[in-house]
Amino acid sequence: MLRFLILELMEKPLSSNRVKANELPAYLMVVARGIRDRLLGANLVSLLLATMHLPVALALGLATFIPYCTSAPSSTTPIQSSPHVIHEKRAADPLDWLISHKPSADKVLPLRIGLTQQNVDRLSDMLMAVSHPDSPNYGKHWTPQQVVDMFAPKKESADKVVGWLRDFGFEKERIRMSANKGWVEIRASLEEVEELLRTEYFVYKHVETGEEQISCETYSVPADVREHIDLIKPTVHFNHRPSPKSTTKFKRSGVNLGKPGVSAVGPKKSAGAQPVPPTLADCDKMITLDCLKALYDVPDFNPVSLDTNSYGIVEFTPQAFLAGDLDLFFSNFSPSLVGVRPKTVLIDGAVVQTTNQSFDFNGESDLDLEYGMALVNPQTVTLLQTGDLVEGAGFDNWLDAVDGSFCTFEGGDDPTQDGIYPDPLPGGFKGAESCGIIAPPFVVSTSYGQDESTITAFSAMRQCTEYGKLGLMGTTILYSSGDNGVAGNGGVCLNSQGQPVNNGTMFNPDFPATCPFVTAAGATQVNPGSTVFDPEGACEQVIFSGGGFSNIFAIPDYQQTAVSSFLTNHPPPYTSAQFNNSGTSRAFPDLAANGANYVIGIDGEFELVFGTSCSSPVVGSFITMVNDARLAAGKSPVGFINPAIYSDQFNDAFNDITMGTNQGCNTVGFTATEGWDPVTGVGTPNVSKLIPLFLSLP
């Protein structure tokens, strides 16, 4: 066996993302210690069983046989009858991160096992039933308890997973079940976790920042248990881009989205400030509230459902608005709002910090709230401020706050994606995580995102399912589609294996925009020299509207006709080597709104900003106007809007965008054209037409 191990190690390629040549001595020491420890503690039968994994490892292309060696059953651990199979593999090898060292074997990991939910395969049909304009059940949204009951894992799944843990040797006192029976938790040492999951953890260090994080490349579970498990955390998820001002030792890919430079989207600043409020004639140079109202035929808004309607905007700490900036903007464009602030809900120890004041820390929040609040004035806007100053937050954190059933345990989110609370780090929030502290607003806009390639399929699907559940309960979920055209954050593209690399050629879509249960908002512009009464084009100033085709999610029924028409009548000049051209994958964005030259008050002055960060809160404001009309008529909010906006009866409610592209990956990207396209979706909304159309539905 030792000979096989050495041969396997010698044949292992020294790839740039695993072990560098100058790290080989240290790595060999780690491996040697693992071999020594296991050989001393294992009997001959165990060794023979362990060697049986070698052909499997080679066939699956695993980087190393060591995880199987180090996880050979010891003399005190029961031998598992079912062979282990790989359950998840890291979504993408990290750029510019090198293996630093092995973490301590006694390091405690809060292992959380997400049980397979029931009826997830029916979620799309259930959502269509309450969201499609032709459905007799349109608007008949579900209660939270109905959602919990429908998707709760089977008792068999809980029993199977708990039985696996007990057979491994964990005492029943160490095993906990979440309140919604959806998660199993076991606090275990790193050594125990590595043996349980047949894997090996390493601490990675970023070559420039020195930032560190812990991760494994793959993990395995018994074949007869796999169908009962969605995913296990923390394991393979990885933060591919460091936070530039990091103070936390271990960073997370979805976490701390408010940190400058972390999210795939965010407003982009123009070269010079523009302090003079423009007229409608200048909307090709400076966008204001009046420009948007003219572009999208927005009627005077006199809300009558103030007490029942709700609109939420998500921000991630340390991103925060400045009161003076809001008042600067409002005093010029919406005077009645001077002194008015959003209704602030602090999630997981969040603060609206004012210590750091700059465009990078205030630009997103100022933009979202200035336009979101002004467009729906006097409707109250709820600020979902998420994450403390130390951990920050990820998408799951705000989902926890609006849906307690999504919470796993105290601090039960994904340590590689989300902030974990109570926060053990110095200065961190010590309270329990915020579970179900606010009912889901009827509309939620989030101007943040990450590359789809940096999240595993299991994790993406689990999160996407939650967006679908919120849709069932009557919430419209809006996400910006990204600002880099067909490329990912920072212009990064993928190689032929779907991995982010420098000089990649494959398009790199954005998540959560690729989730079929959210509405993804792209960006348009008033073309230079044009007016608000001329057709817009796709945004091609400073940013390019994110759009393309998912590499994870299948195409939903509601957009099959539109996407098929685009691919057939306007086939892109690219092959499957550049994008998922199968015609069977989720396409985005769904719609668009202006994203260029927005005038905002920021750090005491007016500046121009660009991005799909502008588009999402503006569309959210329009849907809030629609909901006001429906609620006043005694009807439900619209909830998930995609089936409606893709339907024939809503064609006239959108302005088709037929100019512009979304370049990236050394290409012009896709082209905006007649009908739906992966640059601007179905087009920009005509609010005066949208309101009566939605009002006519049950």
Side-chain angles (χ1 to χ4, degrees), residues 1 5 39 134 164 194 232 234 253 396 437 464 474 581 621 639-640:
M1 175 185 176
L5 288 171
L39 286 175
D134 293 336
W164 166 47
E194 287 187 330
I232 300 178
S253 67
D396 286 353
I437 63 174
C464 185
N581 66 353
S621 297
F640 184 49

Side-chain angles (χ1 to χ4, degrees), residues 348-630:
D348 292 335
V351 294
V352 182
Q353 65 86 23
T354 57
T355 303
N356 293 303
Q357 298 187 15
S358 69
F359 180 85
D360 287 340
F361 286 97
N362 309 122
E364 184 67 69
S365 294
D366 281 347
L367 164 68
D368 294 346
L369 293 172
E370 286 168 10
Y371 280 84
M373 292 174 65
L375 285 170
V376 301
N377 181 35
Q379 175 66 52
T380 297
V381 170
T382 299
L383 168 61
L384 302 173
Q385 186 74 39
T386 309
D388 70 3
L389 286 168
V390 178
E391 286 287 325
F395 299 122
D396 286 353
N397 292 98
W398 81 259
L399 288 171
D400 289 341
V402 300
D403 182 5
S405 69
F406 188 61
C407 287
T408 53
F409 297 87
E410 297 79 13
D413 294 292
D414 184 348
T416 65
Q417 296 279 330
D418 310 298
I420 303 303
Y421 298 98
D423 183 352
L425 296 172
F429 176 61
K430 304 306 180 187
E433 69 173 340
S434 302
C435 291
I437 63 174
I438 180 177
F442 292 148
V443 178
V444 178
S445 171
T446 308
S447 294
Y448 299 78
Q450 67 185 101
D451 296 347
E452 187 188 66
S453 61
T454 63
I455 187 169
T456 68
F458 278 104
S459 186
M461 290 179 179
R462 183 87 175 200
Q463 186 182 134
C464 185
T465 296
E466 182 63 15
Y467 296 130
K469 293 178 187 177
L470 290 174
L472 275 178
M473 293 187 284
T475 293
T476 304
I477 305 294
L478 291 156
Y479 271 95
S480 298
S481 70
D483 294 340
N484 295 279
V486 297
N489 187 23
V492 171
C493 302
L494 309 177
N495 63 16
S496 59
Q497 284 75 48
Q499 302 289 304
V501 294
N502 296 321
N503 301 316
T505 57
M506 181 177 287
F507 300 167
N508 191 5
D510 193 79
F511 178 82
T514 52
C515 168
F517 303 139
V518 309
T519 301
T524 58
Q525 67 181 26
V526 177
N527 293 316
S530 298
T531 74
V532 293
F533 306 109
D534 298 318
E536 287 186 281
C539 190
E540 297 180 296
Q541 300 179 64
V542 183
I543 68 104
F544 296 89
S545 180
F549 298 81
S550 174
N551 293 315
I552 292 179
F553 297 100
I555 189 170
D557 289 343
Y558 61 75
Q559 68 169 186
Q560 282 187 342
T561 299
V563 173
S564 176
S565 175
F566 170 79
L567 292 174
T568 301
N569 299 320
H570 310 282
Y574 311 115
T575 69
S576 59
Q578 288 168 288
F579 81 102
N580 188 344
N581 66 353
S582 63
T584 61
S585 68
R586 155 72 165 158
F588 75 108
D590 300 298
L591 44 65
N594 192 284
N597 294 301
Y598 274 54
V599 177
I600 69 166
I602 172 71
D603 298 328
E605 64 181 6
F606 287 108
E607 292 189 9
L608 300 183
V609 298
F610 303 73
T612 52
S613 285
C614 307
S615 315
S616 183
V618 166
V619 173
S621 297
F622 296 159
I623 301 304
T624 299
M625 296 177 186
V626 171
N627 283 339
D628 180 80
R630 284 185 56 86

Side-chain angles (χ1 to χ4, degrees), residues 247-267:
T247 56
T248 303
K249 187 172 183 181
F250 294 105
K251 285 296 166 190
R252 305 154 174 86
S253 67
V255 79
N256 227 349
L257 290 166
K259 277 285 188 183
V262 173
S263 177
V265 294

Side-chain angles (χ1 to χ4, degrees), residues 15-20 23 90 92-100 202-215 238-243 246 248-253:
S15 67
S16 61
N17 294 319
R18 293 288 296 171
V19 183
K20 300 296 184 182
E23 297 173 314
R90 185 184 298 148
D93 289 331
L95 292 173
D96 301 321
W97 293 84
L98 303 179
I99 291 177
S100 172
F202 287 96
V203 173
Y204 291 76
K205 179 179 288 189
H206 193 264
V207 294
E208 293 182 2
T209 66
E211 192 173 328
E212 294 182 343
Q213 58 182 306
I214 187 172
S215 180
F238 200 93
N239 173 16
H240 290 254
R241 292 179 176 83
S243 302
S246 170
T248 303
K249 187 172 183 181
F250 294 105
K251 285 296 166 190
R252 305 154 174 86
S253 67

Side-chain angles (χ1 to χ4, degrees), residues 136-156:
N137 292 318
Y138 181 86
K140 297 180 181 179
H141 298 122
W142 295 30
T143 66
Q145 190 58 51
Q146 286 176 313
V147 171
V148 169
D149 293 343
M150 177 58 66
F151 298 101
K154 296 178 181 178
K155 183 178 183 299
E156 174 192 358

Side-chain angles (χ1 to χ4, degrees), residues 131-133 138 558 640-651 654 694 697:
S131 307
H132 197 284
Y138 181 86
Y558 61 75
F640 184 49
I641 65 172
N642 290 13
I645 68 175
Y646 279 88
S647 68
D648 290 341
Q649 67 193 85
F650 276 72
N651 281 344
F654 289 89
F694 274 117
L697 299 178

